[in-house]
């Protein structure tokens, strides 16, 4: 008998404002479990329809039968195994392969091995439930994974053995064999033994009992971006470092962010460690079918880790909610050129569903910095004020965009209204001038950089404007042409100036001596990096130097998008607002005009003169709309006050 899950309206409204109570968390988890069970049913049906039976392992039905027996014996043991986030990643992949009959790609496992993960799940459930069983499971390079329990390493096992056997008597004796080799599991499988590596379980607090967090360094489906990555076992010291980071982040959340402190443990139960990243480049990700999991690089400190957990837990919550309630129309979930939108935190255009997702996550980020900035001191407080100002205004921009979207369902509109109510008080909060000014520059930089990469002006109109300018005609005799969205642009790394702004604030207004050596010629052309650093250091003299250096970069390489936007920012800082308007509102148009002029007569117009000419075009700062998508121009290059949901309609 199938029953339906129901979402109370109160849950919807609480989730919209970031409040996840224990009952709400329980209902979300129950719905996700039902979704997993339906996936298993679909897998069994798909295997029967596909008639797949080749390979050294039994059909899926054998694994599912053992799972059912283990559940009858100890339900919570099976719930823990099936709630393991990689199970969703595996089920989606296998279901696609069974239904489409797709051959494995390079580096992907054969179908029998992929289906064999079900037997590994059943073996893990039998162990956890204390059920006698003998299960054949896949092996890879001498390793046997038992999800949520641990993995056996048979170092001397030859590579041609692909199937291992787990035998357990249900009373604490268990053995994994692979060919002639064997590993005896300890009576308590959470303890290490020769050849046996138990799953690493972290705690949220040092003393209080509560749900644990799996530090997953072995499961073949732990990284949804590239299933079957090679194992990356952590050392005990590395595991201890992760535990310390989690304790510190959880303590910070409990002390200063009570709503987030309650929400995050209800949502996250698995951390997948990624390699460390440079400062201000934390890498993290989550996936709709891996509810409870977050991929995250080694954090630098408690603040870095805490805000990442807040951000990713919100993605997980919204994924789970969307499995029960349709917040946007189905068409609005698909990236179509006519529905792509600007999201300040992304370098690529987003469909309405993607924008809603990001807005919800960054609403949590803005709320985190809203409180955190008052708990820090010195340069760390300056940086926190900056982060609050940036993400507060970015969320306000996104909410205004979402308010205009016809693709929102009534429940989706109610959800957006809840976010707007939560963030509305932020608009009137004061931010110190030393943090607000770079935050406004950041917002202008983000939008102009996005436009320069994702918008293309109409080619015919661009040619007509070039002819007019070369003939000596003034810009006010023409009209700024529309731009169309380039839907084929993949995501790019964030603009380097965003990292440099944070570096400057965190280091007390100076660049460390190694900044040039670390970035110059590696991630940025030396002359462009020098221009960026002059711009960000501030002051009239540095602004003037930045203008000249950006002009020099563009004279040599007029296609450099970052330099066109940088020139606009430098001109605004120098008080040259007329050319800055053209470069910050329509950088793609100024760049296209420069490249078209060079193509026509082999000469490049002076970038500053071209920006002045373009700024006189009527309609330059209106809404950019063409055959697909849109990106609204800001009412000014640098807003004089923070944007709010009740403020100007254009941003």
């Amino acid at each position: 008998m199938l029953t339906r899950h129901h979402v109370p309206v109160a849950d919807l409204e609480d989730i919209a404002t970031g409040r996840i109570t224990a009952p709400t968390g329980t209902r979300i988890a129950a719905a996700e479990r039902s979704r997993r069970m339906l996936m298993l049913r679909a897998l069994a049906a798909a295997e029967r329809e596909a008639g797949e039976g080749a390979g050294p392992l039994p059909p899926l039905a054998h694994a599912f039968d053992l799972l059912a027996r283990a559940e009858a014996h100890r339900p919570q043991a099976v719930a823990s195994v099936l709630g393991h986030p990689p199970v969703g990643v595996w089920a989606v992949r296998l279901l696609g392969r069974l239904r489409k009959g797709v051959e494995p790609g390079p580096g992907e496992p054969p179908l029998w091995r992929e289906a064999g993960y079900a037997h590994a799940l059943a073996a893990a459930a039998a162990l956890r439930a204390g059920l006698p069983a003998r299960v054949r499971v896949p092996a890879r390079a001498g390793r046997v994974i038992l999800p949520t329990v641990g993995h056996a390493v048979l170092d001397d096992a030859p590579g041609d053995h692909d199937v291992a056997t787990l035998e357990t008597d249900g009373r604490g004796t268990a053995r994994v064999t692979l060919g002639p080799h064997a590993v005896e599991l300890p009576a308590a499988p959470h303890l290490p033994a020769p050849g046996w590596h138990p799953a690493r379980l972290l705690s949220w607090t040092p003393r209080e009992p509560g749900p644990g967090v799996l530090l997953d360094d072995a499961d073949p489906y732990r990284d949804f971006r590239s299933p079957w990555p090679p194992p990356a076992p952590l050392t005990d010291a590395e595991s201890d470092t992760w535990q310390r980071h989690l304790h510190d982040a959880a303590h910070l959340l409990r002390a200063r962010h009570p709503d987030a402190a309650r929400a995050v443990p209800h949502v996250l139960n698995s951390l997948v460690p990624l390699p460390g990243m440079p400062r201000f480049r934390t890498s993290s990700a989550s996936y709709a079918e891996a509810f409870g999991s977050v991929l995250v690089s080694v954090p630098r400190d408690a603040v870095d880790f805490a805000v990442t957990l807040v951000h990713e837990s919100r993605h997980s919550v919204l994924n789970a909610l969307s499995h029960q309630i349709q917040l946007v129309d189905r068409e609005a979930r698909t990236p179509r050129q006519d529905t792509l939108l600007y999201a300040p935190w992304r370098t690529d255009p987003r469909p309405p569903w993607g924008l809603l997702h990001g807005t919800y996550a960054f609403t949590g980020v803005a709320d985190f910095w809203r409180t955190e900035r008052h708990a820090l001191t010195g340069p760390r407080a300056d940086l926190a004020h900056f982060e609050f100002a940036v993400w507060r205004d970015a969320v306000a921009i996104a909410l205004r965009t979402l308010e205009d979207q016809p693709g929102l369902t009534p429940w989706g509109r109610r959800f957006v209204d809840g976010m707007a109510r939560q963030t509305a008080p932020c608009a009137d909060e004061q931010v110190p001038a030393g943090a607000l000014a770079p935050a406004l520059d950041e917002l202008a930089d983000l939008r102009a950089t996005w436009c320069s990469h994702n918008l293309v002006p109409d080619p015919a109109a661009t040619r007509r404007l070039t002819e007019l300018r070369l003939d000596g005609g003034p810009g006010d005799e023409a009209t700024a042409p529309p731009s169309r969205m380039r839907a084929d642009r993949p995501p790019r790394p964030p603009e380097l100036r965003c990292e440099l702004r944070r570096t400057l604030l965190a280091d007390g207004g100076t660049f460390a001596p190694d900044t040039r050596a670390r970035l110059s010629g590696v991630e940025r052309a030396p002359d462009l990096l020098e221009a960026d650093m002059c711009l960000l250091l501030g002051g009239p003299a540095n602004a003037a130097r930045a203008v000249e250096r950006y002009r020099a970069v563009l004279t040599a390489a007029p296609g450099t998008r970052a330099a066109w936007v940088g020139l606009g920012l430098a001109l605004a800082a120098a008080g040259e607002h007329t050319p800055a308007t053209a470069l910050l509102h329509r950088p793609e148009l100024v760049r296209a005009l420069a490249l078209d002029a060079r193509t026509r007569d082999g000469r490049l117009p002076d970038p500053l003169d071209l920006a002045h000419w373009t700024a006189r075009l009527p309609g330059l700062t209106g809404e950019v709309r063409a055959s697909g998508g849109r990106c609204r121009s800001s009412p000014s290059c640098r807003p004089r006050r923070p944007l709010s949901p009740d403020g100007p309609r254009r941003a």
Side-chain angles (χ1 to χ4, degrees):
M1 174 70 69
L2 294 178
T3 59
R4 289 185 178 272
H5 291 272
H6 299 276
V7 179
V9 173
D11 278 8
L12 178 75
E13 295 182 342
D14 281 348
I15 291 171
T17 56
R19 293 191 298 271
I20 312 296
T21 62
T24 301
T26 299
R27 284 189 284 269
I28 290 173
E32 286 299 299
R33 172 176 164 75
S34 292
R35 185 176 177 85
R36 293 281 171 85
M37 299 299 288
L38 290 172
M39 285 181 176
L40 297 186
R41 169 187 277 198
L43 284 172
E47 187 186 50
R48 287 194 302 270
E49 293 171 5
E52 297 287 350
L57 294 177
L60 292 175
H62 286 237
F64 295 162
D65 177 67
L66 179 54
L67 282 167
R69 288 190 284 122
E71 185 175 48
H73 191 67
R74 190 170 296 170
Q76 187 54 45
V78 176
S80 297
V81 172
L82 295 185
H84 185 42
V87 174
V89 181
W90 161 75
V92 169
R93 277 181 53 84
L94 181 58
L95 192 59
R97 290 187 66 174
L98 288 171
R99 287 177 171 175
K100 298 176 183 177
V102 179
E103 292 297 319
E108 291 187 328
L111 182 60
W112 72 264
R113 186 186 294 277
E114 195 130 45
Y117 187 75
H119 299 282
L121 294 173
L127 270 176
R128 296 178 67 114
L131 188 71
R134 186 177 189 275
V135 190
R136 287 164 58 80
V137 295
R140 182 189 185 198
R143 294 175 182 266
V144 178
I145 308 295
L146 300 177
T148 76
V149 180
H151 65 278
V153 179
L154 300 95
D155 291 327
D156 297 328
D160 56 353
H161 287 285
D162 290 330
V163 177
T165 301
L166 169 77
E167 295 178 273
T168 174
D169 64 1
R171 297 190 299 273
T173 300
R175 169 188 296 180
V176 174
T177 58
L178 182 63
H181 307 277
V183 167
E184 301 287 341
L185 274 62
H190 66 278
L191 298 176
W196 173 249
H197 301 266
R200 298 183 183 274
L201 198 63
L202 308 181
S203 64
W204 288 102
T205 61
R207 300 180 187 84
E208 299 175 14
V213 179
L214 178 66
L215 185 61
D216 196 346
D217 60 348
D219 195 288
Y221 295 97
R222 66 189 184 276
D223 188 343
F224 64 88
R225 304 167 306 174
S226 56
W228 284 81
L234 299 172
T235 65
D236 289 343
E238 289 170 329
S239 178
D240 290 344
T241 297
W242 277 99
Q243 179 63 89
R244 186 178 68 254
H245 282 311
L246 188 62
H247 281 168
D248 291 347
H251 176 74
L252 185 154
L253 291 175
R254 288 195 305 274
R256 300 201 280 265
H257 309 274
D259 283 344
R262 285 187 291 269
V264 171
H266 283 310
V267 177
L268 299 182
N269 58 38
S270 177
L271 291 175
V272 179
L274 300 178
M277 297 291 289
R279 186 166 60 156
F280 307 122
R281 299 191 197 181
T282 299
S283 177
S284 67
S286 53
Y287 175 50
E289 301 303 347
F291 176 76
S293 174
V294 57
L295 282 64
V296 62
S297 57
V298 181
R300 297 186 65 86
D301 55 32
V303 174
D304 179 33
F305 200 16
V307 72
T308 301
L309 293 177
V310 168
H311 177 267
E312 293 300 342
S313 67
R314 283 195 163 225
H315 277 304
S316 284
V317 167
L318 190 53
N319 280 327
L321 182 65
S322 70
H323 290 159
Q324 301 179 68
I325 298 177
Q326 191 170 325
L327 300 177
V328 299
D329 295 336
R330 296 193 183 280
E331 290 186 355
R333 299 177 72 98
T334 306
R336 284 194 357 241
Q337 193 176 31
D338 60 337
T339 60
L340 293 175
L341 305 164
Y342 169 57
W345 42 82
R346 292 282 299 218
T347 60
D348 57 330
R350 303 297 290 153
W353 172 238
L355 181 61
L356 176 60
H357 236 293
T359 304
Y360 183 60
F362 277 96
T363 296
V365 171
D367 188 62
F368 176 89
W369 290 117
R370 180 188 185 189
T371 299
E372 196 66 18
R373 65 198 183 113
H374 298 300
L376 302 175
T377 58
R380 298 183 72 201
D382 295 337
L383 180 60
H385 283 298
F386 167 85
E387 297 287 8
F388 168 68
V390 168
W391 301 122
R392 169 192 62 182
D393 289 7
V395 165
I397 290 168
L399 284 171
R400 287 198 298 275
T401 302
L402 287 169
E403 287 171 1
D404 294 340
Q405 291 308 301
L408 288 177
T409 65
W411 291 118
R413 199 160 295 284
R414 188 164 184 165
F415 192 83
V416 170
D417 289 344
M419 285 193 288
R421 285 194 302 274
Q422 181 197 4
T423 58
C426 297
D428 296 324
E429 293 205 7
Q430 296 299 308
V431 176
L436 182 61
L440 295 175
D441 288 341
E442 174 94 346
L443 290 162
D445 201 350
L446 289 170
R447 182 197 171 278
T449 299
W450 185 93
C451 289
S452 72
H453 283 275
N454 297 300
L455 298 179
V456 181
D458 179 73
T462 300
R463 289 192 295 271
R464 289 193 294 271
L465 286 177
T466 299
E467 292 171 358
L468 176 65
R469 193 186 62 79
L470 291 176
D471 290 341
D476 53 14
E477 289 186 358
T479 301
S483 290
R484 62 176 175 82
M485 192 79 72
R486 296 182 59 173
D488 59 339
R489 299 290 291 184
R492 306 176 323 282
E495 167 55 42
L496 185 62
R497 279 189 295 267
C498 300
E499 178 182 333
L500 290 174
R501 280 190 192 90
R502 288 166 171 82
T503 299
L504 193 63
L505 284 163
D507 292 345
T510 61
F511 286 114
D514 69 337
T515 301
R516 287 182 177 83
R518 180 169 55 88
L519 300 174
S520 183
V522 179
E523 300 193 35
R524 202 71 149 184
D527 50 355
L528 180 54
L529 179 63
E530 288 296 326
D532 289 334
M533 294 176 74
C534 284
L535 167 68
L536 298 179
L537 285 169
N542 280 321
R545 281 194 288 269
V547 168
E548 292 310 313
R549 291 185 179 188
Y550 283 126
R551 289 173 78 180
V553 170
L554 292 169
T555 299
T560 309
R561 292 179 171 87
W564 286 109
V565 176
L567 178 60
L569 293 167
L571 289 167
E576 295 281 347
H577 296 294
T578 298
T581 298
L583 289 165
L584 296 181
H585 287 266
R586 298 295 302 278
E588 80 284 359
L589 176 58
V590 183
R591 176 180 177 272
L593 290 171
L595 295 176
D596 189 56
R598 187 182 64 171
T599 300
R600 284 173 174 271
D601 63 3
R603 292 180 299 174
L604 184 73
D606 177 82
L608 187 51
D609 291 342
L610 180 59
H612 271 286
W613 188 88
T614 308
R616 292 196 292 270
L617 291 172
L620 184 74
T621 60
E623 184 173 306
V624 180
R625 183 191 292 271
S627 59
R630 64 182 177 182
C631 172
R632 289 180 169 181
S633 297
S634 301
S636 62
C637 294
R638 295 180 59 183
R640 298 303 173 189
R641 62 177 299 277
L643 302 172
S644 73
D646 298 319
R649 297 292 295 179
R650 293 195 170 182

